[in-house]
Amino acid sequence: MPIRHFSARLSAISMFIDRAFKVDDTKINSVNRAYTPEEWQRFGAAEHDRATGLLLDYEGIVLRAALSELNSVVEYELKWVVRSIYQKKYGSHRDYRRKLSHKTIAEIYRIIEREFQVKIEALPGFQEVEAMRKVVNAYKHDDGYSGQYQPFLTISIEKKYELDIQMVRDYLQAVEVFLQALPGERLQLGQDVRIKPIRNPAGFGE
């Protein structure tokens, strides 16, 4: 039985999250080290701060990587649906690849909506997927800044999107729900192999 590409990718992302937070590392484990009062004064506080900073940085990298992969799965599945629409209409591999290459996500939504007479925003999971895309783009282009400001004394400070593992798991579930509801031809595992002819392979015909 064919396996849907996105199902396999989502399972891999879930596995990545689980394994990433089960890592056994001496530097990270030093966060839980017990110090005597003398050790804490001499080097313990500084060592603990370094380990805590390292752990938070590591967690952020894992969560951002997982979100980026989720966003990549969504975008690729959307493009595959449109690719299948274009392939039926235009036939030529070159033609539909060229027509698709510069489409924005909004244009891709409109193509799918016209073809299947649906409203993408009405599909289950859509709102969460859109929220996830904003977070991913914020970290990709602007170090996670959200564009929202919070008053602080006499100034306003721009807030960053805060990430945690439960948020990522919730987004993963929303992506799965959204992609299951998305209409159109779906990519099967191993189906997206790209090929082109080789001119005179291995000296053939010489």
Side-chain angles (χ1 to χ4, degrees):
M1 181 178 179
I3 300 174
R4 283 187 169 183
H5 179 266
F6 78 82
S7 296
R9 288 280 299 276
L10 295 183
S11 294
I13 294 169
S14 180
M15 183 186 300
F16 165 72
I17 296 170
D18 289 340
R19 289 177 178 268
F21 286 109
K22 291 178 181 177
V23 65
D24 186 15
D25 187 278
T26 54
K27 291 183 179 179
I28 293 176
N29 289 338
S30 64
V31 171
N32 299 318
R33 176 181 172 181
Y35 297 93
T36 66
E38 182 182 354
E39 288 175 335
W40 184 260
Q41 289 293 330
R42 288 196 300 112
F43 62 86
E47 187 177 79
H48 183 271
D49 287 347
R50 284 195 298 271
T52 301
L54 178 64
L55 181 59
L56 291 174
D57 286 344
Y58 175 84
E59 180 181 271
I61 291 170
V62 170
L63 297 178
R64 291 193 299 274
L67 286 178
S68 180
E69 282 297 308
L70 286 174
N71 190 58
S72 175
V73 172
V74 171
E75 290 187 351
Y76 198 65
E77 286 291 325
L78 288 167
K79 287 182 178 181
W80 185 267
V81 172
V82 175
R83 186 180 287 121
S84 67
I85 295 170
Y86 276 9
Q87 190 173 21
K88 291 175 182 177
K89 287 186 176 181
Y90 303 109
S92 165
H93 177 80
R94 180 181 299 175
D95 282 348
Y96 74 74
R97 284 288 300 277
R98 184 171 62 248
K99 291 177 183 296
L100 180 58
S101 60
H102 300 297
K103 296 294 184 186
T104 66
I105 195 72
E107 290 172 324
I108 287 173
Y109 285 159
R110 286 196 292 271
I111 293 168
I112 295 173
E113 288 177 335
R114 285 197 301 267
E115 180 71 14
F116 299 105
Q117 299 298 302
V118 297
K119 284 291 184 182
I120 294 291
E121 63 183 20
L123 296 180
F126 172 80
Q127 299 300 331
E128 292 84 353
V129 167
E130 280 296 287
M132 179 194 72
R133 291 185 64 252
K134 289 182 180 179
V135 174
V136 170
N137 285 329
Y139 274 100
K140 180 180 179 181
H141 300 294
D142 200 18
D143 200 30
Y145 284 100
S146 65
Q148 299 176 350
Y149 286 79
Q150 185 173 20
F152 180 75
L153 299 177
T154 60
I155 60 173
S156 293
I157 299 176
E158 187 174 2
K159 297 189 296 182
K160 284 189 173 185
Y161 286 107
E162 296 182 4
L163 306 180
D164 60 67
I165 189 169
Q166 188 56 51
M167 172 196 288
V168 176
R169 292 191 187 282
D170 289 344
Y171 281 145
L172 191 152
Q173 185 175 10
V175 166
E176 183 171 20
V177 169
F178 174 72
L179 292 180
Q180 286 175 343
L182 187 69
E185 185 175 321
R186 310 317 304 277
L187 173 62
Q188 306 297 332
L189 196 63
Q191 191 179 2
D192 59 337
V193 177
R194 299 181 184 182
I195 61 174
K196 66 178 181 179
I198 300 175
R199 293 184 179 180
N200 199 20
F204 182 78
E206 292 182 355

